[in-house]
Amino acid sequence: MPAIVLVGAQWGDEGKGKVTDMLAEGVDLIVRYQGGSNAGHTVMVDNEEYVLHLIPSGILYDDKLCIIGDDVVLDPKILIEEIDSIKCRGVSLDNLRISCNAHLVMPYHKTLDRFEEELKGKHRLGTTGRGIGPAYVDKMARVGLRMSDLFDREEFEGRLGHTLKYKNLILREIFKHEGFEAADIIDEYLGYAEKLKEYVADTSLLIHNALRDERFVLFEGAQGTLLDVTHGTYPYVTSSHPVAGGACVGAGIGPTKISRVLGITKAYTTRVGEGPFPTELNDEIGEHLRKTGGEFGATTGRPRRCGWLDALLLRYSVRINGMSALAMTKLDVLDELDVIKVCVGYKVGNEVISEFTTDFRKLRECTPIYEDIPGWKTDTRGVKDYRELPKGAKSYIRNIERIIKAPISIISVGPRRAQTVILRKFV
Ligand code: IMP
């Protein structure tokens, strides 16, 4: 049985939630391997919309084990709100498991996230303010607190007390904030522990056993390749490893266990927050993509920056993740356009660049070189079979496959499960 990694090929928000949900039907386990509540997956089931931040979208099926893995940074307050909100809509949470190794997002992480952004001024990253960066910083500095620490009061109190002394010093001296009381955090977090304890497990072992028993495991990345802290457009990135390789560390499995990598790309490009975006459109076409595609952040509500598809960026993403195939979402958003452009190179001064670079200085200076594809001006939202797609749309897909040197196996033409065209068997 395959172990598939599903990874965002751009700057996040590619529609991974829908593809996970679609593939989930045949899957036994779904594992979220990094990030935290900075993510927001929107899934439509029978006209009902669900927005999930931490829980894998497979939870909407009642027979899938859904795992929040080792390298996730988990805000227990948000997770409990999410559990309660989907429970009261009749969704069972019996199949949720949380890694005992997952680090906790603490109140001071969220406060520091906001203050540090303010301090950066024009160099700010435009973070989601969910405390993600500061939580990963503490993990690496070995002063973080993990899920398992919540069940050892003495250890939790001791380590929190030590860390808080240092955090309060920074908050009070640099940011003129009143700081946090250890007793308040202890009460709050031990309360969360009571609510979450039934879900906590050695999730790496659960995954290992499932793979040993030839069950089908789907690893679900949050954010996207270009937001990866090592392989993205640093420093305008998140603090984790959304790339497919991150699934191994993030879920506690070895690389030999992964059989396939499915990249998810939109039919155009979006980005939230600061950082270079060569194909960005600050004109009425960008506005059209934003409006037609509903391009507003699921977590922060911020309008997403929109632009043409960048095939250079996609080819890079195929390489970094070792993608076996791609799913292209939101093709229907392009239906009304007269001409559709695809970026096939960059010009920096007199130099033509034909491979993507993560150097934000070059990306900022470059002018995209485009190939024009005539628009198909046909509503594709009801298309169920590749043969029914307009000629122009087929030519768009084939052109991109040629440039990125990877097959596009799935096309999505709307938010519902049924609005999906399978070009070739992926699993
Ligand atoms: P952070 O992850 O909140 O630290 O934010 C760092 C950068 O990643 C910012 O530009 C965010 O807008 C971006 N980001 C974080 N999570 C997501 C996501 O789920 N989708 C798109 N962008 C994201």
Side-chain angles (χ1 to χ4, degrees):
M1 270 292 186
I4 293 185
V5 183
L6 197 141
V7 62
Q10 298 162 308
W11 278 291
D13 308 317
E14 296 92 349
K16 296 178 289 293
K18 172 177 167 175
V19 181
T20 307
D21 178 61
M22 196 195 96
L23 293 178
E25 206 159 6
V27 165
D28 299 301
L29 252 82
I30 296 146
V31 185
R32 169 83 188 271
Y33 58 83
Q34 44 69 233
S37 55
N38 47 352
H41 288 170
T42 308
V43 187
M44 289 286 289
V45 185
D46 303 332
N47 286 334
E48 290 251 0
E49 187 179 280
Y50 295 85
V51 182
L52 301 166
H53 298 285
L54 282 160
I55 302 176
S57 37
I59 203 75
L60 303 175
Y61 290 89
D62 51 19
D63 59 342
K64 320 286 172 200
L65 202 60
C66 287
I67 289 177
I68 298 180
D70 306 305
D71 200 27
V72 170
V73 288
L74 188 150
D75 184 334
K77 182 170 188 280
I78 292 187
L79 178 60
I80 290 165
E81 280 167 15
E82 199 165 310
I83 289 175
D84 291 344
S85 83
I86 59 173
K87 237 186 198 170
C88 74
R89 290 168 78 178
V91 177
S92 162
L93 271 296
D94 291 351
N95 286 332
L96 178 65
R97 299 289 179 277
I98 304 167
S99 165
C100 50
N101 293 337
H103 274 247
L104 297 165
V105 174
M106 306 298 288
Y108 45 82
H109 291 144
K110 291 183 265 191
T111 307
L112 282 168
D113 194 356
R114 286 195 298 276
F115 280 134
E116 283 168 3
E117 276 283 274
E118 266 174 50
L119 194 67
K120 284 193 181 102
K122 72 179 173 63
H123 298 292
R124 73 184 182 282
L125 309 179
T127 70
T128 58
R130 298 295 178 107
I132 306 301
Y136 278 112
V137 165
D138 278 5
K139 174 175 179 168
M140 291 307 171
R142 292 153 295 175
V143 293
L145 289 155
R146 309 204 286 183
M147 216 44 220
S148 56
D149 296 321
L150 284 178
F151 307 103
D152 181 345
R153 188 181 180 115
E154 207 177 311
E155 178 75 15
F156 187 74
E157 278 185 10
R159 297 230 317 276
L160 174 68
H162 172 75
T163 303
L164 203 53
K165 257 193 227 154
Y166 174 69
K167 299 291 175 193
N168 277 341
L169 204 62
I170 297 173
L171 283 167
R172 289 176 185 144
E173 296 300 317
I174 301 178
F175 297 114
K176 310 298 169 212
H177 180 271
E178 60 190 352
F180 291 89
E181 289 297 330
D184 295 344
I185 298 181
I186 292 163
D187 278 356
E188 184 185 342
Y189 274 63
L190 295 187
Y192 297 147
E194 271 310 298
K195 293 191 175 155
L196 294 178
K197 68 176 178 211
E198 63 180 297
Y199 305 112
V200 178
D202 176 348
T203 52
S204 157
L205 183 63
L206 293 176
I207 300 165
H208 171 84
N209 290 345
L211 290 169
R212 181 202 57 202
D213 297 343
E214 305 229 313
R215 295 173 75 206
F216 185 167
V217 183
L218 185 68
F219 298 92
E220 180 190 30
Q223 290 83 45
T225 302
L226 275 301
L227 286 174
D228 185 279
V229 69
T230 302
H231 299 290
T233 46
Y234 192 88
Y236 300 98
V237 291
T238 190
S239 300
S240 66
H241 291 292
V243 294
C248 292
V249 178
I253 52 146
T256 53
K257 302 289 177 202
I258 298 199
S259 38
R260 264 165 257 180
V261 178
L262 178 66
I264 318 295
T265 176
K266 268 180 198 163
Y268 47 97
T269 311
T270 63
R271 164 159 219 177
V272 200
E274 306 301 319
F277 180 176
T279 60
E280 181 169 15
L281 292 165
N282 289 308
D283 59 10
E284 70 282 4
I285 300 179
E287 196 48 48
H288 174 82
L289 295 175
R290 185 157 34 251
K291 227 171 114 203
T292 317
E295 297 297 353
F296 297 89
T299 300
T300 58
R302 289 182 289 180
R304 294 178 185 141
R305 299 157 65 192
C306 298
W308 296 120
L309 189 87
D310 186 336
L312 238 57
L313 176 157
L314 267 194
R315 190 166 63 216
Y316 169 76
S317 214
V318 168
R319 165 161 67 91
I320 287 292
N321 292 290
M323 280 173 197
S324 332
L326 285 96
M328 178 180 275
T329 62
K330 296 198 165 183
L331 184 73
D332 57 300
V333 174
L334 305 180
D335 283 353
E336 290 167 30
L337 296 174
D338 295 324
V339 174
I340 296 158
K341 290 178 185 283
V342 180
C343 171
V344 294
Y346 299 141
K347 227 176 153 195
V348 186
N350 290 328
E351 193 193 352
V352 173
I353 300 180
S354 56
E355 290 297 336
F356 186 74
T357 168
T358 53
D359 183 334
F360 73 90
R361 284 158 291 251
K362 277 196 175 159
L363 285 176
R364 236 180 223 155
E365 286 164 25
C366 74
T367 316
I369 303 168
Y370 288 114
E371 241 176 58
D372 285 3
I373 290 162
W376 43 90
K377 312 279 276 177
T378 312
D379 187 347
T380 59
R381 286 172 300 176
V383 171
K384 296 210 161 39
D385 188 289
Y386 178 71
R387 284 164 297 192
E388 292 167 26
L389 277 174
K391 214 170 136 218
K394 285 183 192 157
S395 138
Y396 186 59
I397 296 161
R398 294 298 169 225
N399 254 317
I400 294 158
E401 285 182 320
R402 176 182 53 79
I403 302 166
I404 67 172
K405 298 184 172 62
I408 296 174
S409 296
I410 301 169
I411 301 281
S412 167
V413 288
R416 287 168 226 296
R417 278 182 188 169
Q419 289 175 298
T420 311
V421 182
I422 309 285
L423 277 62
R424 52 180 80 74
K425 216 168 155 326
F426 170 70
V427 177

